[in-house]
Structures are given as C-alpha cells and as structure tokens.
Amino acid sequence: MPLPETLAQGLRSAGWLAGLPALALIWASATLYAAPRIAEGLAAEGAAIVSGTATATGEPWLRLAASGRDLVAAGEAPDVAERATILSRLAALEGPRRIVSEVGIVETATPFQWAAIRTGTNQIALEGSRPVEIGRRALEARITGAVNPGTSLDDAARAARGAPPDFASAAAFLAARLSGLAKGGRAALSDTVLSLSGEALDVPAYEALRAALSDPPEGFSIGRIEILPPKVAAYRFAVEKSARGIVLDGFAPSAADRESALRTATEAAAGGTVEDRLLAARGLDPAIEPKSLIAFAFKLAELIQSGQVAFVDGAISVTGDAIDGQALPDAEALMRDGRPAGVAAGRVALTARPLSPYRVAIRRTAESVTLTGHLPDTATRERVLAALRPRLFREPVIDRTRLADGAPADLGDALAAAAPLVTNLADGTVSVSDRALTLTGESLYREGAARTPDRLAEVLPPGWTGQASVTARDAAERRDSATCRTDFAAALAGADLHFPAGGAVLTPAFYPALDALAALAKTCPSLRIAVSGPADPTKPPATPAAGPAAGEGAPAAEPTRVADAAKPEAHAKPATPGKPAPAEKETAKGDGQDRGKAEAGKANSPKTDSPKTAPSRKDPPKKEPAAPGKAAKKPAETSDEPPPDLPRLRAQAVVEYLLQAGARPEQVSAGPDGPAGPVVFALLP
C-alpha cells in the first residue's frame, strides 16, 4: 500500500537526518565496549615497564593510567636520568596516542609535611610528602587499618626524603582522629609536630579526641589544635551545691571556659570537693558571654547552703536553702540588676533556715586579715573589727561577714578574746563553729607558739571549747659566724636607711633591709646588732655673725621640725620670760606582746604658757579662734630645733621593727646616737 503523500513528502524533506539517532546509538555502544578494551591494552603494553621500576620496598615507583588512548605516567623517579629513560620507553610503545607525563623527581622535603583531610563520610584525601622508604600501598594499608571500615583513600602524596622516624605510626594516629571530625577535618604532620583542626561530630567524639591527643606517638608532640566542640540544641549549665562540695553539670563552649568554671568552683568550695561533669559543646546564644554567665551563676551559688543554680532554655534560676535570711532579698536584687546581657530571669525559690552550725572565721596572712561567715548584728561586727585594727601594723582588714540569727550569746566575747592571738601569728586562722573555737597557724617565735594553747584556754568565755595548733616558723640555726657576718653586710648593701627630716617613722624603703636582717638574726643566734639612730643636720645660722668658724663645712639644709612630715605642726606660744620651756613628749602606743608592733616614734613640741596637753600625732593641733575685733597674734618665737632625743627614738623604731619580724630581744639593742645621715648598724662581739 503506498504511503500517504504528506508522509512521503516529510521523509524526503528530512533526508539523511532521520538516521542520526541510530548512528549515535551505534557509536555510543561501540565506545562503551571498545574503551575498556583499549585501556586494558595500553596498561598491558606498559606493565613490563612499570614492573621494571620496582624499588627496595618491592613496589614500583611508576604508575600508569589510561585516559582514552592517552597513557598518563605518574610517580617520582629516583633521578632525572631514570625519568628520561622511562619516558623514552613509554614513547616507543605503539598503542598509546601520546604519553602524558606527571613524573616527578624524589627530593628532600624540609620541613617534611603530610596531611589527611576528610572529604566525605567515607573518604579521606592524602596530600603532601610521604617517605620514599615506604611504599605507597604499604602506607595506604597502614592508614586504612586505622580508619573506619569502608573508608577510601585519595592518595596524592608524593615520595620524598627527610621523613621523621616512625612516620607510618604518626600518620595512622592522625588518620584515626579524623573519624571523630566532620567533613573538612584536617590532620597534619610537620616533621615531628602533629596538628588537628575541624568540628567534632558529637560530644563523645570530642571527649575521645581530647583523651587521644594527650598521648601522642613516641617521638612526636602535639602542636596546634583547633577542634570546635559539637553544637547541641538544648544548652544548659548548672552549679549544684551541698555540704560535700560543688558539682558542675551541663556544657561549656570551650576548654578555656571549662577551666574557668573549675577554678571558680574550687575557690567557692573552700576545701570541699568539686565534681566536674561538664562537657564541651556549642549552642549558647552568641549574645551571651560564657565567662559572664559562669561568674553570675557562682554569685547566686554564694547565697545558698545547698541547692542548684541552673541555666536552661536561656533563663537562669536558683533553688534551695539560703545561707541566711538576708540572702533572699539579695538573690532577688542580683537576679533583677546583675544578670549578664542575653540571660533571662528565672525563678528564685529559696528557703531561709536557721544556721546550724553557726560559723565565722578570721584569716590572717602577711597581706591582710579577712573575716568570713556570719555575725549576729552590726555591734558585734564593730567590736570584732575594733579588736583587730589596733594590733595590725599595715595590713588591711577585709570584712566579708553577713548578718544572721542563731549565734551564741557570747560570740562577740570569744572573737574579741581570740583576735590578739591570731594577729600575733605570721599566718593563721580562727574558726568558730557554734561554741567551739579552733586556732591554727604559724608563729614567728617558738615561745609564742608554745604558750598559745594556754593563752587561748585563759581568754575563752565559760562554756566554750578551744583548740590551738600553732607551729613556729623559725628557720634552722646556722653556726658559721663568718657567713653570718658576710650575709649581714650583704643585707645592708645599697639600702636607703634615711629618716625624713624631723621624723622617727619608718618609710617603706626600710622594709626590705630590715626584713633581711630579721631573717638573718633567726638563722644566726649568735648575731648581736646595735642600732644607732641618726640626728638631723644642724640648722644654718640665722645671721652672718653666727656663721661657722673658719675651716668648718657649709651649713646643712634646714630640717623639717615635725616628728611625722605628713602631719601639720602648731605654732608654739612664747615661753614665760626667765623660765625655760620644758618639752612635752608625744608617745606612740605599741603592743609589745601582740606581734611587738613598732613604735611610731616620739616627737617633742614646745610647751605653751597654758597647761594644755600637747596634741598627739594622730590628732592635728587645733587653732583657737581669735577674739572678735582682734587680730590673731603671731608667736613671739618658735623653736626650729629637732627633738633632742630624736636619734634615740629613731633607733627604737628600728629595734621594734626587727623584733616584730622575728629577731630575739637579746639580739638587738639601741647603740649610741649617730651623726646626721642613715641609720648605722654595728655587730657586737
């Protein structure tokens, strides 16, 4: 049957184009069938050449791969001549259309660097240099055994000399760490330094990485580690407090934040246990600063005896037993005004319970005296502070006590009685728990340490129990007198031992030298030191007629006339004509038994016509107002001379300081008055 005219006309118009799909199908089939056979043929032709490049490892350095009808040669030839020979032999083959050379030369890599990168869930790429002494397949087998089963390697590393010993162990160690990292994780080696970077897959993987990096292969060290903790959906942080100590739970964004939380918990536990359950994880709102959140949580924890401070779902809350009734409004105020930026306020559910036991402590160190715990009222607090302050030379008193009910009725009596005992110590603590008082520490003197228990028993109120455990800090005695004398000279070398003009108060410049002398006296019992206090330079003459005689030195500068240069001086009234003006001496109180506090010095001031007592060093002189309508009279004359006993006062101030610092009374004494200048020390036979 003939084709319709329309269809026949269409076929004639299409012509040869109608056969193109069939031709394409035939070409594709032939290519798919023939290409593998061509590649196999090319590989077979070069197999003999490849096997001829075998090295001492048993593996050939030459690798061939077919790309269509091209033959790609790769590997690292031992030298240039060997590479040229191999390429010539490949070029002589009849099958390949052309030879593509990617053959390099084995060189020395300095530094020797190698890296493994996780490029997929089950794929690792190798790059850099591998030891020429280790065959490629042997190294790949070592690495494959260290990673997850089914992981494939894309090895682009090139053979080189200069690898560190036991390179294969380090490479396998690094590759194994990639199992805990997400895509993009990188493990690298540079000579003997190992580094790791990337994001941990999950919390267990992060902890496993931290543990593994603490034990690198022998001969290698850990370098730069940049591992991001995993990100969690529900970030939380909690501080649990009990009588046993503190438990940290939840997450910390980094290792540094975790260490910060641990340090703060250790300080807050005050000797109690600290259990660390924190895990490293991200997920905290970027608007919240981690360290600020941790610090705020511990501020709230200070207000509870037992309970929990928890940060969950962006809000922080505190529950449990408050340390005292004052803690309830304190927690509300802190939650309202002290929260870090980005942190929401949670609930405050605290219960105030009677304190049992009732505790307070006085801690004495070389730098300060600190009160902690609870006191019943402000009157008791002021009484304790008043008992401490007069017995301290320069140490500040830091009050961290809080007010709470439940104290023993005579708590103030017990603390006031114990205050002199703890201030006498070089380092010590008075701890009170209900009606039991414990004193521990170190004394500068053996005698003081020995009599402290008896003194404590004498001063405690009835019904109290006391226990004292005080040791002596005296250094071991040294009997070598020659060494003692040499060290004596060394302790004073370069010291600035000048008093202010007119003053008998030690300046800070004295302390290093005097502390060194006291320490030396404790180790050299035979040392005997005499201290000579200096006078002030003489005042220059008022008129030329009263100038120095020929041959005398130039007059010295006019000294200040006050015992303490920081204090103002009142003008003296003229003495009664024909009668000498006797001087009234101002004395500084010191506590010889309680740490032997140094005398501040004594200064003479002219006596006035009226029988008023001269002002003390602590109270500046008061000026009496002039009578109305009359101008204030100026004194007829004033005394510009320093106190006549100023050298003795200065010597006594130095002696008292040395006794405070630990020298024995029989080792230090005041010597004859010295001339103007520095304090003079002399060794006695």
Side-chain angles (χ1 to χ4, degrees):
M1 179 176 157
L3 293 173
E5 182 62 26
T6 304
L7 180 58
Q9 186 178 358
L11 289 175
R12 286 194 297 270
S13 299
W16 60 270
L17 292 176
L20 284 180
L23 290 174
L25 181 60
I26 294 170
W27 177 83
S29 299
T31 301
L32 293 174
Y33 174 75
R37 295 177 63 86
I38 293 172
E40 291 175 3
L42 294 177
E45 289 186 48
I49 299 176
V50 171
S51 61
T53 63
T55 63
T57 64
E59 295 183 25
W61 61 261
L62 178 63
R63 300 188 305 278
L64 293 178
S67 177
R69 294 198 61 185
D70 296 338
L71 199 59
V72 180
E76 292 75 43
D79 51 49
V80 175
E82 181 73 11
R83 178 174 62 178
T85 300
I86 293 301
L87 292 178
S88 297
R89 294 180 63 187
L90 291 174
L93 296 176
E94 296 181 357
R97 180 177 57 185
R98 63 174 179 168
I99 303 299
V100 180
S101 175
E102 295 180 357
V103 178
I105 303 297
V106 176
E107 297 177 349
T108 300
T110 305
F112 197 95
Q113 295 179 331
W114 176 88
I117 302 98
R118 185 162 187 171
T119 56
T121 304
N122 293 309
Q123 189 166 359
I124 294 176
L126 307 180
E127 64 180 30
S129 301
R130 64 173 177 82
V132 68
E133 302 86 2
I134 304 176
R136 178 182 297 272
R137 289 194 295 270
L139 183 58
E140 289 179 352
R142 185 77 179 270
I143 293 173
T144 302
V147 298
N148 293 332
T151 302
S152 62
L153 301 181
D154 180 11
D155 190 357
R158 304 176 68 88
R161 300 183 184 91
D166 205 11
F167 170 90
S169 296
F173 174 84
L174 288 173
R177 308 287 76 79
L178 292 177
S179 300
L181 296 178
K183 182 180 178 180
R186 178 185 176 89
L189 171 150
S190 180
D191 289 337
T192 60
V193 179
L194 311 181
S195 60
L196 200 63
S197 61
E199 179 181 354
L201 286 174
D202 50 38
V203 173
Y206 183 85
E207 297 299 320
L209 284 170
R210 290 183 61 211
L213 291 174
S214 65
D215 186 22
E218 186 175 358
F220 293 84
S221 61
I222 300 299
R224 190 171 183 178
I225 302 299
E226 295 178 337
I227 302 176
L228 290 175
K231 191 170 184 178
V232 295
Y235 187 93
R236 60 188 180 85
F237 175 79
V239 179
E240 299 177 11
K241 193 173 182 182
S242 66
R244 296 185 301 274
I246 291 176
V247 177
L248 298 177
D249 199 5
F251 302 107
S254 67
D257 294 323
R258 183 177 184 175
E259 291 299 324
S260 175
L262 282 173
R263 286 195 302 270
T264 308
T266 302
E267 295 173 1
T273 62
V274 175
E275 184 178 351
D276 177 21
R277 299 178 187 170
L278 290 176
L279 299 173
R282 293 175 297 144
L284 182 65
D285 186 342
I288 302 175
E289 207 284 316
K291 290 183 174 57
S292 298
L293 173 62
I294 293 170
F296 181 71
F298 276 99
K299 285 183 180 179
L300 289 174
E302 291 176 359
L303 301 176
I304 58 176
Q305 298 183 63
S306 61
Q308 184 184 68
V309 177
F311 174 79
V312 180
D313 296 331
I316 194 166
S317 59
V318 54
T319 59
D321 294 335
I323 56 173
D324 50 42
Q326 183 182 341
L328 276 67
D330 287 352
E332 294 283 359
L334 191 60
M335 188 71 77
R336 181 181 63 251
D337 304 325
R339 294 192 324 276
V343 177
R347 66 182 187 132
V348 176
L350 297 179
T351 303
R353 300 181 183 275
L355 297 183
S356 180
Y358 200 96
R359 291 192 174 100
V360 63
I362 304 174
R363 174 82 172 111
R364 198 243 194 279
T365 66
E367 292 77 25
S368 63
V369 174
T370 305
L371 278 71
T372 57
H374 289 87
L375 293 172
D377 47 48
T378 55
T380 304
R381 176 184 286 163
E382 292 302 322
R383 182 181 179 187
V384 175
L385 293 176
L388 290 170
R389 287 186 177 124
R391 294 174 169 83
L392 300 172
F393 184 39
R394 56 180 178 271
E395 302 89 338
V397 179
I398 302 171
D399 177 23
R400 294 178 179 165
T401 57
R402 299 172 60 87
L403 302 182
D405 296 332
D410 47 2
L411 176 63
D413 296 338
L415 291 175
L421 301 181
V422 72
T423 53
N424 282 348
L425 302 179
D427 185 283
T429 302
V430 166
S431 300
V432 171
S433 179
D434 289 337
R435 287 179 176 267
L437 187 147
T438 303
L439 174 63
T440 60
E442 289 183 323
S443 172
L444 293 175
Y445 313 102
R446 291 189 180 92
E447 297 81 359
R451 63 174 176 260
T452 297
D454 294 336
R455 294 187 61 191
L456 178 63
E458 294 171 0
V459 299
L460 281 180
W464 282 71
T465 60
Q467 182 178 358
S469 177
V470 179
T471 59
R473 186 182 282 186
D474 292 346
E477 295 184 354
R478 187 168 59 209
R479 301 295 182 178
D480 184 355
S481 59
T483 303
C484 291
R485 289 176 176 270
T486 301
D487 291 348
F488 171 81
L492 297 174
D496 181 13
L497 304 177
H498 290 79
F499 278 94
V505 178
L506 299 177
T507 65
F510 279 81
Y511 301 151
L514 297 186
D515 288 341
L517 284 180
L520 182 63
K522 288 189 287 185
T523 61
C524 297
S526 61
L527 209 62
R528 300 292 184 270
I529 302 173
V531 182
S532 295
D536 270 356
T538 57
K539 180 186 174 184
T543 62
E552 292 182 357
E558 181 179 358
T560 306
R561 295 190 299 106
V562 294
D564 187 345
K567 301 292 183 179
E569 180 182 12
H571 292 291
K573 294 182 179 181
T576 304
K579 294 183 180 181
E584 288 186 351
K585 298 182 180 178
E586 176 192 357
T587 61
K589 297 181 180 180
D591 189 349
Q593 295 178 348
D594 299 331
R595 290 178 57 82
K597 300 304 174 186
E599 287 188 350
K602 301 177 181 180
N604 287 356
S605 58
K607 187 174 181 180
T608 61
D609 292 335
S610 61
K612 293 182 179 180
T613 303
S616 68
R617 287 175 55 245
K618 294 186 178 179
D619 300 320
K622 299 180 180 179
K623 296 181 180 180
E624 297 181 1
K630 295 184 179 181
K633 295 183 179 180
K634 295 184 179 179
E637 61 181 13
T638 58
S639 173
D640 291 336
E641 297 297 329
D645 56 351
L646 185 59
R648 181 181 61 80
L649 295 176
R650 288 172 169 174
Q652 188 62 30
V654 174
V655 169
E656 290 296 336
Y657 186 97
L658 292 174
L659 293 176
Q660 286 183 63
R664 295 185 178 91
E666 66 273 13
Q667 290 182 286
V668 188
S669 60
D673 295 349
V679 176
V680 177
F681 295 86
L683 287 178
L684 301 178

